[in-house]
Amino acid sequence: MEFVVTRQEAMAGELKELMLKGLLTEAEVKQIVTRRTAFESALIRLEPKKGDYLRYIEYLMALEALRRKRMKRLDLSGKGPSKADYCLVEAQFNVFERAVRRFKDDISLWVQFIEHARREKAVVLTGKLTARALQLHPNSIPLYILSAKHQMEAQTPGSARMIFQRGLRLNPQSVELWTEYLKMELAYIETLRKELRRTRDLRKQVVKRAKKKGEDVPAELREVIKEDEGLKEVMDGAIVREVLRSAVEACPHLPLFTALRRLLFNHPTPLRESLLSELQAWLNKRLPHNPQAIKLSALWWIDDNWVEGSDLVDLLHSANSKMMAAVKSEDVASAEMGGLYAQWISQSVRRVNSVPLKEYFTRSLRTLIANLPRSRICSKLLATDLQLCRLRQTQDGATTAKLVARARKYIDLFPSSSEIWISYLEAVKSAEIAEWEALWSEAREKARGNVDELCRIWLWGTPMYDDVQAQDKAYESILKASIQHPCKELHPHVLLQYIDHIYETVPSTSRQNRLQTLFSKYLPSDACYRFCFSKETHADSPSRAIITLLYERWRQIDGEEIEAALRYGAWLLRNGDGRGAKQVLDRTRAILDDEGRAVLDENWVAMMDAPDDEDLDEVEKKGEEDVVHVPPELDVGEDGSDGEGSSASESEDEESEKPVDTSEFISLNCEM
């Protein structure tokens, strides 16, 4: 506690000066001392938490925001600097310093400290911090970027270049670092061009006056002119081209080309077209047979946010021809390239409004399929062809007979393609074919693919039945079959859909028996219980018996004890059974270790502080982040008032959990 007392004595003079200037009242000073003492006491624990430091810093930031607001209101800004003007910022730096010393390995904490120092325009401190942080974390990309930005802001591009080069020697595969390095060089060229344009005009005026007076041009000016002429290569992009070459040689991967292309497309520079052409040449040379690279090169000059227009038609035609040639090439993987081409065709048809362009893309795909040898045809091409045919069918009302026949032909070529089966079944549905049940059964038996596609196939026929009993029978049938399916994720997904069907069709009085039977016959997962719990608690008339049943079964799954207890306890508490909620938490706490109890308590507190309609998933996401809190004295007023004389409506601990909203005015509560 001696250290805390020392800190109190150090802050006494600062707070006294703030009070003498009329920025704080005596009651507010006492309250601030109390709060800061509590924060300081938390920091001297044997194992202080990172959140303790962040809450303290946020409290000091809120006080500083209040001080600046009151300075402006009282018009004290013109009375000269004093210790009161920087004491709170200095205190923030002090707490940050103690935090980074305590948590040296936490890169995010170093980044926050550096960013805060930059915001406060502490140039010297920022430089020292970046140097210290890089010494501890020489492989941290964000620290190199922050350090280089600091050097650029200090008008020392040479130092920024050295920092980037040092970072790239240690991290040559970093796409982000290469991209930021190139961006820095581009920005440097534009800054240099503006400066040369300004000084060149001044020199022209000096030379013109000298010639008019018959005088010689000063020797110093002639030297400056020669130096400017020596910068011509730099202005033409010599350094940028060298950076491009080094980047491609060190990291010849597709993400690098994608990131650099996006940067050059969006950066306002007269070197844009020449640099893009050079980068495209490097891409074609380094990755000549990579399907993703071929697609990127084909679409190189088409902006990602392109809009339809006459100047775009030629570019689209060129891109289409290049990708069709790549699909036909024996040097390129046919399945991947065909899939990429089919995906692009599908997206383009849906994106353009021009009917001739739609027809051009559709016919290009059809022509490619007809001319490809059997060994190079992939299922993605055929599935996309069927999808586009269905799209055109819905638009012009053409017959579906040819579509069904074509789909059957494609199925015979790729009997396990889930994408072709989906298009086939939809065509069968549109054609109202009587044998749809047999085709559906065949699709479930043969189709293979990802779980989303399989779910579409396995659940496709359930809405085709007219009555609920027939739908229930269909669900039961496919649930039994899905247990044996090679895709182990299929059964839980089908089970979730059946549960959703039960909640839509079965009355609450019969729901419990149905769910019990379902859980005993099949294989419910934690996601299944979570889904049921959410459906039941949000039902019009939730059943406590069902909710208790779900909790008891859910908690028996390994690793789910905490979430089950939290959800069940929160529901009991919301429905007036606080004693029952306490019993649930105590029962769960008894079977957990110390770490599990800490997680349970932390999440319970977060749930209690969350709005009533906030889902636990959102609370858990927030719990993963370092949440900064508002001090209890500070109250946000929409009208910008200080809030003096208002009273605190909540306890100190509860108010300390409120998140700071820096977008609004911050006010201080005078009540103790």
Side-chain angles (χ1 to χ4, degrees):
M1 290 298 293
E2 292 181 2
F3 181 78
V4 175
V5 173
T6 303
R7 299 301 304 172
Q8 286 177 321
E9 293 174 352
M11 74 177 75
E14 304 167 357
L15 296 176
K16 181 179 179 181
E17 188 163 352
L18 289 170
M19 188 171 63
L20 291 175
K21 279 196 167 189
L23 298 173
L24 294 175
T25 64
E26 184 177 353
E28 290 171 343
V29 169
K30 291 180 180 179
Q31 194 174 36
I32 291 171
V33 170
T34 302
R35 288 293 291 152
R36 290 185 64 175
T37 302
F39 282 123
E40 292 287 351
S41 300
L43 299 188
I44 64 171
R45 293 185 297 192
L46 291 178
E47 294 186 4
K49 299 179 180 179
K50 176 182 171 182
D52 296 333
Y53 289 95
L54 293 177
R55 278 187 285 271
Y56 192 7
I57 292 167
E58 191 65 26
Y59 178 81
L60 293 171
M61 288 181 180
L63 287 179
E64 174 62 14
L66 174 67
R67 183 197 68 80
R68 292 178 181 179
K69 192 180 89 169
R70 289 186 175 177
M71 284 279 291
K72 183 177 180 180
R73 190 192 65 185
L74 299 174
D75 196 19
L76 299 175
S77 56
K79 294 189 176 181
S82 66
K83 189 176 182 180
D85 296 333
Y86 60 84
C87 61
L88 292 174
V89 175
E90 187 178 7
Q92 296 164 25
F93 291 158
N94 180 273
V95 179
F96 257 128
E97 178 65 30
R98 291 153 66 187
V100 295
R101 287 183 179 179
R102 180 74 184 186
F103 303 98
K104 293 184 177 68
D105 296 334
D106 194 324
I107 296 177
S108 64
L109 200 56
W110 282 102
V111 171
Q112 290 181 63
F113 192 5
I114 294 170
E115 289 282 14
H116 183 57
R118 287 180 63 203
R119 284 195 299 269
E120 295 295 337
K121 296 180 174 56
V123 179
V124 177
L125 177 61
T126 303
K128 292 180 179 179
L129 287 174
T130 53
R132 286 172 55 196
L134 285 174
Q135 190 174 14
L136 289 170
H137 305 283
N139 294 322
S140 174
I141 306 304
L143 291 178
Y144 281 107
I145 295 173
L146 275 176
S147 181
K149 285 183 178 179
H150 168 66
Q151 296 298 332
M152 288 297 292
E153 290 171 356
Q155 303 297 319
T156 54
S159 299
R161 189 176 292 115
M162 290 176 59
I163 290 171
F164 272 124
Q165 290 171 355
R166 190 176 84 180
L168 288 167
R169 280 195 297 271
L170 296 173
N171 307 277
Q173 299 293 315
S174 173
V175 173
E176 184 181 7
L177 204 53
W178 280 113
T179 305
E180 290 295 330
Y181 184 23
L182 183 64
K183 180 193 278 188
M184 186 273 290
E185 294 292 1
L186 289 171
Y188 171 67
I189 288 177
E190 296 308 312
T191 303
L192 191 61
R193 179 177 284 109
K194 291 178 182 178
E195 181 65 19
L196 287 176
R197 188 182 297 119
R198 184 182 66 83
T199 56
R200 189 180 296 117
D201 294 339
L202 294 175
R203 289 195 296 272
K204 285 181 179 179
Q205 294 177 9
V206 173
V207 172
K208 186 177 180 180
R209 283 198 298 267
K211 289 182 177 180
K212 189 175 182 180
K213 295 179 180 179
E215 300 174 353
D216 293 334
V217 178
E220 297 85 356
L221 185 57
R222 287 198 298 270
E223 290 294 329
V224 172
I225 293 174
K226 288 182 180 180
E227 290 178 3
D228 289 352
E229 292 175 353
L231 292 174
K232 187 176 185 303
E233 290 186 3
V234 176
M235 302 301 294
D236 290 339
I239 296 178
V240 175
R241 287 183 169 82
E242 183 62 25
V243 172
L244 275 181
R245 185 190 63 79
S246 301
V248 170
E249 290 180 352
C251 182
H253 305 304
L254 188 67
L256 176 74
F257 288 101
T258 304
L260 295 183
R261 172 185 174 270
R262 186 183 304 114
L263 170 64
L264 293 174
F265 243 108
N266 298 325
H267 200 281
T269 173
L271 302 173
R272 175 177 173 270
E273 291 191 5
S274 61
L275 293 176
L276 280 171
S277 298
E278 189 166 340
L279 185 61
Q280 185 185 27
W282 280 110
L283 173 64
N284 295 334
K285 181 180 179 181
R286 290 284 179 171
L287 304 171
H289 306 310
N290 184 307
Q292 294 278 0
I294 292 172
K295 179 185 176 183
L296 179 63
S297 180
L299 303 175
W300 192 259
W301 298 102
I302 302 176
D303 193 349
D304 295 335
N305 300 316
W306 59 269
V307 292
E308 195 172 342
S310 57
D311 55 341
L312 188 68
V313 174
D314 292 338
L315 293 175
L316 291 174
H317 178 73
S318 174
N320 183 56
S321 301
K322 290 178 181 178
M323 281 193 277
M324 287 180 68
V327 175
K328 296 176 183 178
S329 174
E330 295 291 340
D331 298 328
V332 183
S334 59
E336 186 178 358
M337 191 67 238
L340 291 173
Y341 177 67
Q343 181 187 40
W344 180 72
I345 286 290
S346 178
Q347 293 173 349
S348 299
V349 168
R350 287 167 170 79
R351 189 168 181 176
V352 299
N353 297 317
S354 170
V355 175
L357 264 181
K358 290 179 182 288
E359 190 68 22
Y360 166 72
F361 286 127
T362 305
R363 289 187 179 277
S364 296
L365 178 61
R366 186 77 52 77
T367 302
L368 179 65
I369 294 173
N371 295 332
L372 275 179
R374 171 67 180 85
S375 60
R376 297 200 61 81
I377 295 178
C378 66
S379 60
K380 184 70 175 178
L381 287 171
L382 304 183
T384 303
D385 180 43
L386 293 177
Q387 292 168 8
L388 296 182
C389 287
R390 287 185 54 242
L391 182 64
R392 186 170 57 178
Q393 168 200 330
T394 57
Q395 291 176 347
D396 59 21
T399 179
T400 60
K402 291 184 178 180
L403 177 59
V404 173
R406 183 181 300 167
R408 184 71 252 185
K409 178 182 176 182
Y410 289 170
I411 283 294
D412 293 338
L413 290 174
F414 295 93
S416 63
S417 172
S418 56
E419 293 178 302
I420 298 179
W421 270 113
I422 291 171
S423 298
Y424 185 23
L425 292 176
E426 292 301 325
V428 167
K429 183 178 180 180
S430 300
E432 299 180 354
I433 295 178
E435 298 83 9
W436 64 268
E437 286 185 280
L439 293 173
W440 182 33
S441 177
E442 182 185 359
R444 298 199 306 272
E445 179 184 352
K446 295 181 177 180
R448 296 293 183 269
N450 62 53
V451 65
D452 293 331
E453 293 169 349
L454 291 176
C455 281
R456 288 185 62 184
I457 292 172
W458 280 66
L459 299 169
W460 172 82
T462 53
M464 302 282 283
Y465 295 100
D466 295 332
D467 59 286
V468 175
Q469 291 182 350
Q471 292 177 357
D472 290 340
K473 187 177 179 180
Y475 271 114
E476 294 281 351
S477 175
I478 62 176
L479 270 173
K480 291 178 182 178
S482 65
I483 296 177
Q484 305 297 328
H485 197 275
C487 179
K488 299 305 179 185
E489 298 177 347
L490 177 62
H491 178 72
H493 281 72
V494 176
L495 185 57
L496 286 179
Q497 291 297 323
Y498 188 25
I499 292 171
D500 190 49
H501 169 74
I502 289 175
Y503 272 92
E504 290 179 356
T505 58
V506 178
S508 58
T509 53
S510 308
R511 198 179 297 150
Q512 183 174 355
N513 293 333
R514 290 288 295 274
L515 290 175
Q516 279 183 314
T517 304
L518 200 66
F519 295 153
S520 61
K521 291 174 64 177
Y522 302 110
L523 305 173
S525 62
D526 58 310
C528 175
Y529 289 122
R530 190 178 296 108
F531 178 75
C532 284
F533 198 93
S534 178
K535 294 289 288 186
E536 188 63 39
T537 53
H538 289 86
D540 294 335
S541 54
S543 167
R544 177 161 182 164
I546 295 178
I547 294 174
T548 304
L549 167 70
L550 294 171
Y551 163 68
E552 292 295 341
R553 296 185 68 98
W554 187 5
R555 67 185 295 270
Q556 295 175 16
I557 300 178
D558 290 340
E560 294 297 315
E561 308 93 344
I562 294 178
E563 184 177 356
L566 288 172
R567 289 183 182 270
Y568 185 47
W571 182 82
L572 290 173
L573 190 62
R574 283 197 302 268
N575 287 271
D577 190 1
R579 180 176 297 178
K582 183 178 183 302
Q583 291 174 352
V584 168
L585 294 179
D586 291 341
R587 178 186 179 188
T588 306
R589 195 177 285 109
I591 63 174
L592 296 173
D593 56 13
D594 292 341
E595 184 178 355
R597 288 196 211 56
V599 173
L600 178 68
D601 294 340
E602 182 180 352
N603 281 283
W604 180 256
V605 171
M607 287 180 63
M608 294 303 97
D609 291 339
D612 292 339
D613 58 347
E614 185 168 8
D615 191 78
L616 178 62
D617 295 333
E618 297 298 323
V619 175
E620 290 173 345
K621 289 178 184 177
K622 292 179 181 178
E624 296 295 329
E625 303 170 357
D626 292 309
V627 182
V628 185
H629 300 90
V630 174
E633 309 83 54
L634 300 183
D635 183 29
V636 178
E638 296 182 357
D639 58 356
S641 62
D642 289 339
E644 298 184 26
S646 61
S647 60
S649 60
E650 296 182 348
S651 67
E652 182 175 283
D653 291 336
E654 292 174 334
E655 291 192 25
S656 65
E657 297 296 321
K658 294 181 182 177
V660 170
D661 185 357
T662 56
S663 63
E664 302 183 27
F665 289 117
I666 302 176
S667 59
L668 185 66
N669 190 337
C670 300
E671 291 282 323
M672 288 295 291

